[in-house]
């Protein structure tokens, strides 16, 4: 029989009788599960350690501000453009679908609810994951393979505290701020299309928007954004921190960071929506 | 002084494999306080891995590593971090922080331990840079703007900046011209003698091995095959060391080249 590769075979597999294909299958499933548990366990430990350093001194304010600028400020253009176009498309799409009914209020409510609850945080999260998650993984990965992370610990500096914690905190704070901007611009994009192209009355549109928007919608979006911010920076740090094998390893870490962050964003989006709105 | 020299670093049976490749195979090594040990050995013989094991950056599979009588492999994390902070390390490739200017690299350990303020750090960094033969203006550059040899000297400056009790040098003079190599050797000897530091240096340069080292050890196939006074390196009577120090092609050490 062929021992499937990938996961530590020896301790799990040693006593499995190699008689039937069924048992092989069970063993394979088990191994994959053990492997998955082990890597998610490692990730969880990494996250716990990184987050715990946010509240334990010494603090590296300089590193935090740098990360905040990188994640928040420099992501503004990308997030802003994404939001405006999304709002515009939403207005256009919904008006063609809804024109037979009372389109006026429907378009306004659809735009504002989709943007604040869903599209603002998710699209901003995905854009930032592509931009920042990759950059973090590449930077930390390069530091790892050139011994810079090892060098930190010989210079009385805990790399988790110096490199990881400031980025996690910056992600936690920057993403909600970005989403506030995205929400405003998204609604504005919808407003422009509705009034300029579809000929809606601007005052009614604004009134409808304000009427439909509730604090819950807005706040749930911000909470999602904070969670996404941590996910993005966490995956970037984790992949970069644990990368090995030179330039190729760093490249692989970068890809994994973006893919993992994007998938996790969508998964957590579902879970959080369930928590907030499913009654 | 007592007759028994105090041991700062003590290794017993340290082994490390990567996959099925045994890189270290039962290393025993003693380095007494205030002395320097030179480690020689072929490329890929595990010298850098040995230093990283002592630093606790690589976990050995077996063995005991003691620094000042404390077993670093079983010590609690805070104690390990404390011990590590007493060691200055020059990495083989420099490992300079490329997001920081050179002066901040040099002063990094000082700032991390709050031994000086940021304002003082710049002047301190210039002083230390001068010791390794670099002008103060180099401090404003980014590490990527330096030549290989300059990077090595900045790495050295960073390692000695906080005057650590233990110093590790991974090929300190590789990539330097002979004169600068001699200057750096002098600086290392100075650190050991003046500051009373304990040092382990890896080198391929026999002249510098004799200049830096009190004692020397040769690593081959994961084991220490010879250990003795560095001054006797050139006439040890050990065939392997002789072949290595004289750079002969014929001898007990066979390079794994395809015929
Ligand atoms: N992280 C690692 N993963 C796998 N193998 C490694 C790792 N680090 C080192 N090795 C292997 O260990 C062996 C010893 O490496 P090491 O860097 O200690 O050599 P060295 O004696 O310092 O050589 P050089 O004089 O060329 O610097 C090499 O064969 C290398 O392939
Ligand atoms: Mg080496």
């Amino acid at each position: 029989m062929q021992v499937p590769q990938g996961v530590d075979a020896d301790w799990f597999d040693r006593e499995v009788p190699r008689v039937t294909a069924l048992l092989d299958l069970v063993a394979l499933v088990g191994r994959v599960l053990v492997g998955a548990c082990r890597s998610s366990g490692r990730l969880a430990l990494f996250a716990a350690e990184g987050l715990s350093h946010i509240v334990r001194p010494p603090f590296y304010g300089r590193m935090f501000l740098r990360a905040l600028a990188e994640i928040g400020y420099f992501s503004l253009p990308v997030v802003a453009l994404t939001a405006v176009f999304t709002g515009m498309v939403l207005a256009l799409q919904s008006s063609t679908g809804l024109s037979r009914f009372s389109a006026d209020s429907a378009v306004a409510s659809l735009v504002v609810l989709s943007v604040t609850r869903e599209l603002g945080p998710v699209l901003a999260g995905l854009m930032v994951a592509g931009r920042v998650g990759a950059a973090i993984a590449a930077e930390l990965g390069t530091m790892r393979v050139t011994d810079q992370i090892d060098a930190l610990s010989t210079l009385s500096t805990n790399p988790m505290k110096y490199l990881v914690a400031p980025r996690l905190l910056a992600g936690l704070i920057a993403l909600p701020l970005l989403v506030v901007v995205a929400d405003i611009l998204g609604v504005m994009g919808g407003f422009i299309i509705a009034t300029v192209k579809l000929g809606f009355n601007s005052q009614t549109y604004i009134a409808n928007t304000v009427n439909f928007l509730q604090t819950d919608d807005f706040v749930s979006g911000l909470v999602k954004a904070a969670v996404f911010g941590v996910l993005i920076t966490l995956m970037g740090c984790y992949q970069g921190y644990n990368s090995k094998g030179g330039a190729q390893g760093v490249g692989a870490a970068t890809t994994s960071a973006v893919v993992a962050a994007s998938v996790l964003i969508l998964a957590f989006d579902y879970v959080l929506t369930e928590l907030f709105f499913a009654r | 002084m007592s007759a028994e020299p105090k041991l700062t670093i003590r290794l017993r049976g340290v082994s490390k494999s990567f996959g099925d490749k045994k890189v270290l195979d039962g290393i025993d090594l003693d380095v007494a306080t205030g002395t320097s040990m030179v480690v020689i050995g072929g490329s890929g013989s595990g010298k850098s891995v040995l230093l990283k094991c002592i630093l606790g950056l690589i976990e050995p599979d077996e063995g005991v590593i003691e620094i000042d009588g404390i077993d670093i492999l079983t010590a609690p994390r805070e104690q390990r971090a404390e011990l590590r902070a007493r060691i200055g390390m020059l990495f083989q490739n420099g490992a300079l922080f490329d997001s920081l200017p050179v002066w901040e690299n040099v002063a990094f350990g000082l700032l991390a331990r709050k031994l000086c303020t940021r304002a003082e750090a710049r002047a301190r960094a210039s002083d230390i840079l001068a010791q390794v033969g670099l002008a103060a203006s180099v401090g404003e550059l980014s590490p990527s703007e330096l030549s290989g040899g300059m990077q090595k000297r900045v790495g050295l400056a960073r390692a000695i900046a906080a005057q650590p009790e233990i110093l590790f040098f991974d090929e300190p003079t590789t990539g330097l011209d002979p004169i600068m190599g001699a200057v750096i050797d002098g600086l290392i000897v100075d650190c050991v003698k003046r500051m009373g530091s304990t040092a382990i240096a890896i080198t391929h340069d026999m002249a510098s091995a004799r200049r830096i080292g009190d004692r020397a050890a040769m690593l081959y196939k994961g084991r220490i095959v010879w250990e003795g006074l560095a001054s006797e390196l050139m006439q040890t009577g050990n065939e392997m060391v002789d072949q290595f120090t004289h750079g002969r092609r014929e001898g007990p050490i066979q390079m794994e080249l395809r015929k």
Side-chain angles (χ1 to χ4, degrees), chain A residues 49 62 147-148 156-157, chain B residues 52 77 96 108 113 118:
Chain A
E49 190 182 350
R62 199 175 285 271
D147 289 337
Q148 291 180 49
S156 319
T157 303
Chain B
K52 287 186 183 173
R77 260 159 73 127
L96 301 178
F108 197 94
R113 288 162 74 177
R118 275 187 84 77

Side-chain angles (χ1 to χ4, degrees), chain B residues 24-104:
Chain B
L24 300 179
D25 183 11
I27 300 277
D28 297 340
L29 194 71
D30 292 322
V31 186
T33 305
T35 67
S36 56
M37 164 73 76
V38 166
V39 177
I40 60 172
S43 188
S45 58
K47 305 180 298 293
S48 300
V49 171
L50 180 67
L51 284 194
K52 287 186 183 173
C53 282
I54 304 176
L55 275 170
L57 298 173
I58 294 178
E59 193 103 359
D61 303 329
E62 284 171 56
V64 181
I65 301 176
E66 285 179 8
I67 296 179
D68 271 354
I70 301 166
D71 184 345
I72 62 153
L73 300 177
T74 56
R77 260 159 73 127
E78 295 82 50
Q79 203 171 16
R80 287 173 73 155
E82 238 167 70
L83 278 175
R84 205 177 289 162
R86 291 168 47 193
I87 307 178
M89 166 88 179
L90 164 63
F91 286 84
Q92 183 165 4
N93 58 13
L96 301 178
F97 305 127
D98 39 30
S99 57
L100 300 176
V102 166
W103 76 265
E104 236 181 301

